[in-house]
Amino acid sequence: MTPVTDTACLVEVFSSIQGEGLYVGCRQVFVRLAGCNISCQYCDTTESFCVPEVAKIEQNSGKRDYLAIVNPVPVACLVDHIAGLFRSQHHSVSITGGEPLLQPEVVAAIGSLREKGFLIYLETNGTLPNALDKVIGRIDIVSMDFKLPSAMNGIEYWQQHEQFLQIAVRSQPFVKVVLSDETTADEIMRTTELIKKVNPAIPLIFQPVTPTNGVLAVNPQKVLLWQQFALNRLRDVRVIPQTHKMMGQL
Ligand code: SF4
């Protein structure tokens, strides 16, 4: 039973193009919730770490005509706004962050839009399995990151990722791994073995890191080698960079 809440700590709501993962190119309503429980070296959404005084809510799809609403935002008002934006031809509602599962009751409230035929897509760092368990019945697609120790100052999340993926298979999950200059062959091996153990049909997306702010690009030869390695264990392994940055989209 998901606890009831009336308010959400929100950063923004807007319509844009999914730039990462299996559904790249799809038009989505993005709901960015505030707060994150971990700290990745390559994070590009650090503005979502804190709860802003006012959240921004787009009025018309793609117009960037934001309405400012004081945080915390009433959940009923948030769900109404999402439904209004969604009407203009969207693939799904992407609940993102930060880490949205820090507010499982808000995720569940947005997930209730499934009853109106909306597809619900959750973008998560895959470290909060108990929270996922509370909301998985209201999620259609889980875009789950694996956080590799080399990108997390040595902190390991293998155990949390395995528990998380065991729950995520009740929806349609895929796993995304950011590859950087510091990624190791051992991390690729553990990633593929873990996914294979849960279900080798779960798609795996390798996302070469976007080399900005001093972050070094991954060696292209390594990417070829690691995809080949993973394809020997899993059925669907793709390499897709962050495309929204190339397109100048949010
Ligand atoms: S989980 Fe996402 S929002 Fe949190 S630090 Fe990592 S990249 Fe940033």
Side-chain angles (χ1 to χ4, degrees):
M1 186 79 175
T2 307
V4 175
T5 186
D6 292 339
T7 57
C9 294
L10 179 71
V11 177
E12 56 190 347
V13 177
F14 59 96
S15 165
S16 192
I17 301 163
Q18 176 56 250
E20 302 179 355
L22 207 57
Y23 293 83
V24 69
C26 290
R27 189 70 177 246
Q28 293 182 315
V29 172
F30 288 83
V31 184
R32 189 179 304 288
L33 300 182
C36 190
N37 58 321
I38 62 174
S39 178
C40 306
Q41 287 169 3
Y42 49 75
C43 182
D44 60 1
T45 52
T46 49
E47 72 281 2
S48 63
F49 288 178
C50 303
V51 182
E53 207 168 304
V54 292
K56 298 190 308 178
I57 298 185
E58 193 175 55
Q59 299 302 289
N60 294 285
S61 173
K63 300 280 189 206
R64 306 299 180 247
D65 50 352
Y66 295 108
L67 183 74
I69 299 192
V70 175
N71 261 313
V73 174
V75 168
C77 164
L78 172 61
V79 172
D80 280 352
H81 273 287
I82 295 167
L85 261 189
F86 194 91
R87 273 189 215 109
S88 47
Q89 296 298 325
H90 287 81
H91 171 268
S92 46
V93 176
S94 174
I95 310 173
T96 187
E99 174 46 57
L101 287 175
L102 287 174
Q103 301 180 69
E105 59 280 14
V106 177
V107 173
I110 298 169
S112 68
L113 286 168
R114 277 187 96 206
E115 291 160 18
K116 294 185 176 170
F118 294 28
L119 212 60
I120 306 296
Y121 178 108
L122 177 69
E123 297 195 75
T124 167
N125 62 31
T127 62
L128 299 171
N130 292 339
L132 179 69
D133 197 40
K134 291 177 187 164
V135 302
I136 190 67
R138 294 185 174 188
I139 305 295
D140 294 289
I141 300 162
V142 176
S143 166
M144 173 192 179
D145 280 4
F146 268 26
K147 298 300 184 184
L148 304 182
S150 60
M152 307 301 301
N153 295 318
I155 300 170
E156 297 196 1
Y157 291 100
W158 302 115
Q159 200 183 347
Q160 291 94 324
H161 285 336
E162 183 170 346
Q163 288 172 1
F164 195 98
L165 199 52
Q166 294 282 9
I167 298 165
V169 286
R170 283 148 56 189
S171 69
Q172 298 171 52
F174 68 90
V175 173
K176 183 158 60 68
V177 175
V178 175
L179 301 181
S180 77
D181 187 48
E182 302 189 0
T183 306
T184 68
D186 181 62
E187 289 175 326
I188 300 302
M189 191 186 71
R190 288 192 75 167
T191 295
T192 52
E193 290 302 330
L194 198 160
I195 297 170
K196 186 179 166 193
K197 185 175 163 192
V198 178
N199 184 345
I202 295 171
L204 169 61
I205 311 297
F206 285 141
Q207 181 176 294
V209 73
T210 306
T212 52
N213 301 330
V215 177
L216 296 177
V218 60
N219 180 316
Q221 280 304 119
K222 280 188 182 171
V223 177
L224 285 172
L225 195 69
W226 290 338
Q227 185 188 32
Q228 202 166 327
F229 176 89
L231 279 167
N232 283 328
R233 288 154 183 81
L234 306 172
R235 289 185 211 150
D236 188 357
V237 183
R238 311 183 197 185
V239 179
I240 306 174
Q242 281 187 309
T243 66
H244 55 293
K245 294 189 178 172
M246 299 173 195
M247 296 186 283
Q249 297 292 346
L250 293 175

